[in-house]
Amino acid sequence: MNVLYVYKDYFPVLGGIEGHIKYLAEGMRARGVDAHVLVTNTARQTISETINGVPVLKAGRLTNVSSAPVSIDLFRQIRRFQPDITHLHFPYPIGEMAQLFGGRSRRTVVTYHSDIVRQRFLRLLYRPFLRLLLRRADAISISNPTYTQLSPFVAPHAGKCIVIHHGQDLSRFEFSPTIEARATELRATLGDRLVLFVGKLRYYKGVENLIRSFGEIPEPATAVIVGTGPMESEWQQLAQELGLDARVRFAGSVSDEELPAYYRAARLFVLPSTQTAETWGAVQIEAMASGLPCICTELGTGTSYVNRHGETGLVVPPGDPHALAGAIRQLLDDEPLRAHMGAAAYRRAHAEFSHTVMVEQTLVLYQRLLARA
């Protein structure tokens, strides 16, 4: 079986979708599938690499429009492949249009990660192509069942949707003396009442509400924000303006090797997203696999499907720093509740959100599609 994964970026670019494709591509190759990845390069030239055993072709990038890399060469490169399955990861309009007008695969799978939320003009312009894409797709993979009601584009195609949880490699978050030693160092530096956020610092992540919530949270609690992105400077400035820069610490980019120590050092995890562009929140699974209770917002998406209110953590309204502060105080102050929810989170992560389960379910989907006459 030959499978081509198409998106805008790939590991070592860090992000939920990039990591998701990495798990799929590596997992498929480990099972004998000839998996390739087609993405864009950060420069104008087209290059070919092998990353952790996965052949990755990076088409030259001309510019970026509304966070989407524009690559004319992607249209040419996709015609070099004739895979059994092309697996697209929406939203990336350039990649999807390349498949629509130049793809040569026997079957097409679309993992629908999110609606186009913020870029209204792009959404309006792309709407007819998106409808054509979903109509032509042989299967639409969604992370949770709520999305067949949430998305007006997915809903008409509910009959071809299949729920496959976006799994993670949870083994790297297991306890080890090395991780615990580094976590101890972090607590000594940052304090031992740590509230953790991990993610790309993009507009829909709602980190401004986490920052504002700390105006209602007594010392010595500290918020640690791991990640970089376009909102980083603005959110750092907000923390300074509110006089919270000593208690809201921006850790910047953290390596995959060191990230488990941050989870281990924290008491709880917060995902304060404000827009439905946050359809899943893969970082919640990492936190849960580390035994942390989570606080997320109710967006009507997969965030509150992953993190069950009252079981694995708490769910609060989006854009409400006061409600967020109350939930953070509750978990910081109630150690038995925190421990109970952390243990439940650990069990749920390992039972439902392992990357091995995701890969196996996706492989079964591929086999089923190719078995059709």
Side-chain angles (χ1 to χ4, degrees), residues 58-80:
K58 298 181 178 180
R61 181 184 305 198
L62 294 178
T63 186
N64 291 301
V65 176
S66 298
S67 301
V70 177
S71 172
I72 302 302
D73 198 42
L74 191 72
F75 288 78
R76 184 173 68 89
Q77 296 298 337
I78 202 168
R79 293 189 60 81
R80 292 179 51 191

Side-chain angles (χ1 to χ4, degrees), residues 1-47:
M1 187 190 299
N2 184 294
V3 178
L4 177 65
Y5 295 99
V6 180
Y7 187 54
K8 60 183 179 180
D9 290 313
Y10 185 69
F11 179 85
V13 175
L14 297 181
I17 298 178
E18 291 84 353
H20 175 78
I21 299 171
K22 175 180 181 290
Y23 288 133
L24 282 175
E26 292 182 3
M28 290 299 166
R29 291 195 74 86
R31 288 159 177 78
V33 175
D34 188 16
H36 293 249
V37 173
L38 175 60
V39 291
T40 62
N41 193 10
T42 55
R44 287 180 175 267
Q45 69 267 28
T46 294
I47 63 173

Side-chain angles (χ1 to χ4, degrees), residues 155-338:
H157 306 283
K160 64 171 77 172
C161 289
I162 180 169
V163 175
I164 298 178
H165 292 159
H166 293 180
Q168 302 287 305
D169 180 1
L170 305 183
S171 62
R172 67 192 185 101
F173 300 102
E174 292 296 328
F175 172 85
S176 76
T178 301
I179 291 174
E180 187 57 40
R182 178 57 179 145
T184 301
E185 293 175 358
L186 291 171
R187 293 189 201 102
T189 303
L190 301 170
D192 65 354
R193 287 171 65 86
L194 298 184
V195 176
L196 182 65
F197 167 89
V198 176
K200 288 276 190 178
L201 302 188
R202 294 175 173 145
Y203 74 97
Y204 63 85
K205 293 294 185 178
V207 173
E208 70 275 10
N209 296 301
L210 174 59
I211 295 169
R212 293 184 187 280
S213 74
F214 262 71
E216 302 180 30
I217 297 171
E219 296 186 29
T222 304
V224 178
I225 297 169
V226 171
T228 60
M231 296 299 294
E232 184 173 6
S233 296
E234 182 174 326
W235 284 335
Q236 286 176 332
Q237 184 177 350
L238 175 63
Q240 292 172 354
E241 291 173 353
L242 296 176
L244 294 169
D245 48 311
R247 300 181 57 215
V248 178
R249 308 286 289 274
F250 287 79
S253 181
V254 171
S255 69
D256 276 359
E257 292 73 24
E258 191 172 21
L259 185 58
Y262 277 83
Y263 286 116
R264 186 67 58 178
R267 293 200 177 190
L268 59 100
F269 182 82
V270 176
L271 185 66
S273 303
T274 56
Q275 304 286 336
T276 55
E278 188 72 84
T279 58
W280 185 247
V283 286
Q284 286 193 122
I285 298 170
E286 297 178 351
M288 292 163 65
S290 303
L292 289 182
C294 295
I295 299 173
C296 71
T297 50
E298 181 54 83
L299 301 173
T301 65
T303 55
S304 53
Y305 175 82
V306 173
N307 176 36
R308 291 175 171 170
H309 180 69
E311 178 184 338
T312 62
L314 300 173
V315 180
V316 299
D320 189 339
H322 177 70
L324 183 58
I328 292 172
R329 287 198 306 269
Q330 180 181 358
L331 287 181
L332 283 177
D333 295 340
D334 192 335
E335 184 174 354
L337 177 63
R338 194 170 67 244

Side-chain angles (χ1 to χ4, degrees), residues 110-128:
V110 177
T111 292
Y112 200 94
H113 292 271
S114 167
D115 286 333
I116 298 174
V117 178
R118 194 180 193 189
Q119 299 89 351
R120 295 180 181 178
F121 177 73
L122 176 62
R123 180 178 60 202
L124 182 64
L125 185 67
Y126 188 56
R127 182 181 298 169

